[in-house]
Amino acid sequence: MLGDLGAEVIRIEKLDGSEDRWVTPVAEGGEGAMFLQMGRNKLGLTLNPMKPAGQEIVRKLVAVSDVVIANLPYEDLKRMGIDYETISAINPRIILATNSTFGSEGPYATRVGFDTIGQAMSGAMHLSGDGKVPTRANAPFVDFGSALLSTVGVLAALMDRAKSGKGQKVETALLRTAINITNSHLIEQAALQLNRIATLNRGFTAGPSDSYKCKDGWIYAMTIGQPLFVRWCKLMGDEGLAKDPRFKDDLARGDNGEALSAIMQKWCDTRTVTEALTELEANRIPAGPVYAPQQTLDDPHVKAAEFFHHMDYPGMAKPAPVLQEPVKLSRTPLTIRSRAPKLGEHTDQILRELGYEAAAIEKLRADRVV
């Protein structure tokens, strides 16, 4: 995100490549799908920061940088000399953005984890699925949510620094992010002790809100609030439903959602996806098709609105569709200026900018520092 906004971003990774480079490989070299997305607008530097010569490179980078971003437990940052106390002594204006599973405080601070740990411990998995098997979301929303919150924090810290001249630490944690997203469910539990269980795709506190099978595919449709519900009743051909005490308000409709879903499912049984969506849209009832990934790529709105930047990458037979702008700015648009880097692609360039001569760079490489 910061790279899209115009920052020069240097990705520092292990000499043999960090693990995230190889997840879900799609290129001949083994580079993965998420790396192609995340690596856009970044320069690539390989480095071993545990060696003295590597730590010297880190210090030189810190001295000339605005922000250090580290995705590690804070104790590991201390061992590597990238904790805030150390780097702020080098550059008092530096901003350190850290992300870990549990944050730097509390009994779990030193534990490691991934996105799904946040989903599991926030209540999200318990409230997803069929009520028998806790179910994770395949889309890593906790990871992405943490990155977005970190971006907000870094931009706020930069704005403060413009006034104060001082840097600070910006901290996100996967569990904190996940709880931020599930917070309304937790408030309801604390207040009412309902002990909800998952209901597949059916909404808890409104209805009908569910996925429905049409003659040629699936849709999701949802009603929230009385005006929407009344319009839905008219569409179903039974305005009397709006006066049924089981459906008197959103909460009641959520509690009796199974009955509403059955009515809607019967209506969808005789319609194609296109027919159902056309009628729902004509009545201004929010609905959309449930897409497989290829259908998302082929969607006419996605194409017409130019959601994707088609990024070439060595070893790929065709360009990777990378989202062009997660957020659109009218005067200063986000841009993808360069593809994800090959492993260590810009190491020599960056070291030269730091003042290293060619012979020194070769020695660093021979010593497996870079």
Side-chain angles (χ1 to χ4, degrees), residues 27-332:
E28 287 181 5
E31 285 85 359
M34 188 173 289
F35 167 73
L36 296 186
Q37 177 191 11
M38 297 301 175
R40 67 189 188 272
N41 290 336
K42 294 180 182 178
L43 303 174
L45 168 69
T46 52
L47 180 68
N48 183 345
M50 299 305 291
K51 291 189 175 183
Q55 292 173 348
E56 177 62 22
I57 293 171
V58 170
R59 287 192 289 270
K60 288 178 180 290
L61 284 168
V62 167
V64 297
S65 296
D66 292 299
V67 183
V68 172
I69 299 172
N71 190 24
L72 292 166
Y74 204 66
E75 288 302 314
D76 290 348
L77 298 185
K78 288 182 178 179
R79 284 192 288 270
M80 297 168 69
I82 315 176
D83 57 286
Y84 182 68
E85 293 72 20
T86 299
I87 65 174
S88 63
I90 300 169
N91 179 357
R93 292 172 58 83
I94 201 73
I95 293 163
L96 173 64
T98 67
N99 186 58
S100 60
T101 307
F102 298 104
S104 62
E105 300 169 338
Y108 304 157
T110 59
R111 294 187 186 180
V112 296
F114 294 113
D115 173 285
T116 309
I117 307 303
Q119 293 190 39
M121 295 180 65
S122 66
M125 278 183 63
H126 175 80
L127 295 173
S128 300
D130 60 3
K132 299 175 182 176
V133 178
T135 304
R136 73 181 179 94
N138 272 301
F141 68 87
V142 179
D143 280 344
F144 276 72
S146 292
L148 293 171
L149 290 170
S150 186
T151 300
V152 172
V154 167
L155 294 177
L158 287 168
M159 291 177 68
D160 174 79
R161 193 184 69 180
K163 295 182 292 184
S164 68
K166 298 178 182 179
Q168 61 182 300
K169 185 168 67 170
V170 176
E171 180 179 309
T172 55
L174 299 183
L175 183 57
R176 189 180 295 272
T177 297
I179 288 177
N180 180 47
I181 295 169
T182 62
N183 204 169
S184 63
H185 296 294
L186 302 176
I187 292 170
E188 182 194 54
Q189 174 62 26
L192 303 178
Q193 299 289 302
L194 296 181
N195 298 313
R196 290 193 184 275
I197 59 172
T199 55
L200 285 174
N201 297 314
R202 196 169 70 249
F204 290 130
T205 56
S209 293
D210 209 341
S211 55
Y212 305 98
K213 192 175 189 303
C214 297
K215 291 162 69 174
D216 60 347
W218 289 78
I219 66 169
Y220 196 94
M222 61 192 306
T223 65
I224 298 176
Q226 195 66 13
L228 263 178
F229 183 66
V230 169
R231 292 202 299 272
W232 177 82
C233 293
K234 290 179 180 178
L235 179 60
M236 294 298 106
D238 188 353
E239 295 184 48
L241 289 170
K243 299 177 182 178
D244 189 319
R246 294 178 299 164
F247 313 132
K248 63 179 181 178
D249 55 28
D250 275 342
L251 190 59
R253 292 191 282 271
D255 291 341
N256 296 283
E258 194 168 359
L260 293 172
S261 288
I263 296 169
M264 182 71 172
Q265 181 57 64
K266 187 176 180 180
W267 183 84
C268 288
D269 284 342
T270 60
R271 290 164 172 81
T272 65
V273 166
T274 298
E275 290 168 344
L277 292 177
T278 298
E279 291 187 59
L280 288 162
E281 172 55 28
N283 288 273
R284 305 301 290 163
I285 295 170
V290 178
Y291 277 163
Q294 187 60 52
Q295 291 173 296
T296 302
L297 293 169
D298 295 337
D299 180 85
H301 179 85
V302 170
K303 288 183 175 181
E306 299 181 338
F307 276 30
F308 290 118
H309 169 92
H310 294 280
M311 189 178 77
D312 290 316
Y313 192 82
M316 287 197 70
K318 54 186 178 181
V322 178
L323 183 67
Q324 175 74 349
E325 295 173 291
V327 57
K328 290 180 72 70
L329 300 179
S330 64
R331 191 172 58 80
T332 55

Side-chain angles (χ1 to χ4, degrees), residues 1-10 41-42 66-67 158 337:
M1 288 292 293
L2 295 171
D4 292 352
L5 288 164
E8 180 187 72
V9 179
I10 298 172
N41 290 336
K42 294 180 182 178
D66 292 299
V67 183
L158 287 168
R337 301 176 302 282

